[in-house]
């Protein structure tokens, strides 16, 4: 059974940093691109970032470029999102999701990030 | 403003069919056959309903179907059931990024 479990969310002040993690199981982790998608309270889905299976390629939404860094440790089957210079508009539920172009067939339950003073 | 345009709401009676549109551009839907549709019930995780324009993942009822013409993709739900009431989001690969629609709230009357 595929499982994706996010952690690392919380309350942070504007300008602060957080590192999100997503522990994966039930599939060949290194064989799949992994993606972060976020959803602000009461709003729609927004793609944030994707990393290829071997970590050679990374992709970012304009809103994340220069502030967020996606990475993965295939030996630990874990996906990360380092978020710096956080803003109020980054407040959202952050989901990790399996795959990229073909659609996201598995999603985690999400971890809530709140940016507020 | 979302990259893909969806109607904010749609509705139909039980047993009827409803189609939700998703309009993009020649940089996303118009170029790539990587359109996906997601169903999200309140407080729940999005669920993939359609991938690659027309493919239904295992376990998705065949009442759900997808299509594409030019820069517009569509999701059709036939034989509406109460459990279909949810938010629906389209997405498309757009060359090194993914774009989502703003979502459509489907109400079963």
């Amino acid at each position: 059974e595929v499982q994706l479990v996010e952690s690392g969310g919380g309350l942070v002040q504007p300008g602060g940093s957080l590192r999100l993690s997503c522990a994966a199981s039930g599939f060949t982790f290194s064989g799949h691109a992994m993606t972060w998608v976020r959803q602000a309270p009461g709003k729609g889905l927004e793609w944030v970032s994707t990393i290829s299976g071997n970590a050679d390629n990374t992709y970012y939404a304009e809103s994340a470029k220069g502030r967020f860094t996606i990475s993965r440790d295939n030996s630990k089957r874990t996906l990360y999102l380092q978020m710096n210079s956080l803003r109020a508009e980054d407040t959202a539920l952050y989901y990790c999701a399996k795959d990229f172009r073909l659609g996201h067939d598995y999603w985690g339950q999400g971890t809530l990030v709140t940016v507020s003073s | 403003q979302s990259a893909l345009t969806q109607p904010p709401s749609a509705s139909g009676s039980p047993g009827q069919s409803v189609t939700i549109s998703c309009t993009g551009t020649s940089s996303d839907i118009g170029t790539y056959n990587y359109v996906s549709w997601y169903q999200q019930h309140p407080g729940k995780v999005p669920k993939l309903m359609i991938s690659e324009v027309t493919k239904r993942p295992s376990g998705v009822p065949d009442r759900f179907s997808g299509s594409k013409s030019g820069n517009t993709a569509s999701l059709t739900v036939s034989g509406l059931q109460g459990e279909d009431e949810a938010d629906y989001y389209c997405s498309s690969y757009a060359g090194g990024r993914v774009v989502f629609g703003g979502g459509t709230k489907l109400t079963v009357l």
Side-chain angles (χ1 to χ4, degrees):
Chain A
E1 178 192 7
V2 172
Q3 284 196 320
L4 299 171
V5 180
E6 302 95 335
S7 60
L11 174 63
V12 61
Q13 292 188 337
S17 299
L18 274 179
R19 188 196 197 199
L20 307 184
S21 300
C22 172
S25 62
F27 65 102
T28 306
F29 184 68
S30 60
H32 293 268
M34 294 295 294
T35 294
W36 289 99
V37 176
R38 69 184 182 184
Q39 187 169 32
K43 302 297 183 182
L45 301 173
E46 179 187 11
W47 173 75
V48 176
S49 183
T50 295
I51 186 168
S52 61
N54 59 10
D56 280 355
N57 297 293
T58 57
Y59 309 89
Y60 296 93
E62 285 299 321
S63 58
K65 281 181 184 176
R67 300 188 302 128
F68 294 2
T69 301
I70 191 170
S71 62
R72 65 192 295 161
D73 185 334
N74 286 343
S75 67
K76 295 182 179 180
R77 304 175 61 85
T78 302
L79 172 72
Y80 303 100
L81 185 68
Q82 177 67 44
M83 303 188 296
N84 300 329
S85 303
L86 283 163
R87 308 164 178 162
E89 53 265 37
D90 296 318
T91 294
L93 187 62
Y94 284 73
Y95 294 104
C96 77
K98 177 172 163 285
D99 286 318
F100 186 24
R101 291 177 297 171
L102 302 183
H104 311 301
D105 53 354
Y106 291 95
W107 298 62
Q109 292 296 314
T111 186
L112 182 62
V113 172
T114 303
V115 184
S116 175
S117 55
Chain B
Q1 186 174 0
S2 301
L4 304 180
T5 301
Q6 298 180 235
S9 64
S11 63
S13 299
Q16 289 186 333
S17 293
V18 64
T19 296
I20 299 171
S21 63
C22 172
T23 301
T25 69
S26 57
S27 298
D28 39 65
I29 293 176
T31 293
Y32 301 99
N33 288 322
Y34 294 128
V35 176
S36 302
W37 289 90
Y38 301 90
Q39 176 192 67
Q40 187 179 35
H41 288 109
K44 300 298 185 181
V45 175
K47 176 185 177 182
L48 180 66
M49 304 300 284
I50 297 289
S51 67
E52 297 180 75
V53 181
T54 62
K55 295 181 179 180
R56 270 181 294 105
S58 175
V60 173
D62 59 7
R63 302 184 292 103
F64 292 84
S65 62
S67 62
K68 186 186 93 165
S69 178
N71 296 338
T72 299
S74 298
L75 173 72
T76 297
V77 186
S78 306
L80 271 175
Q81 298 182 4
E83 67 211 48
D84 300 332
E85 185 162 295
D87 292 327
Y88 290 84
Y89 295 91
C90 62
S91 76
S92 175
Y93 178 70
R97 64 189 182 112
V98 165
V99 290
F100 280 95
T104 297
K105 182 176 181 58
L106 175 61
T107 301
V108 180
L109 301 171

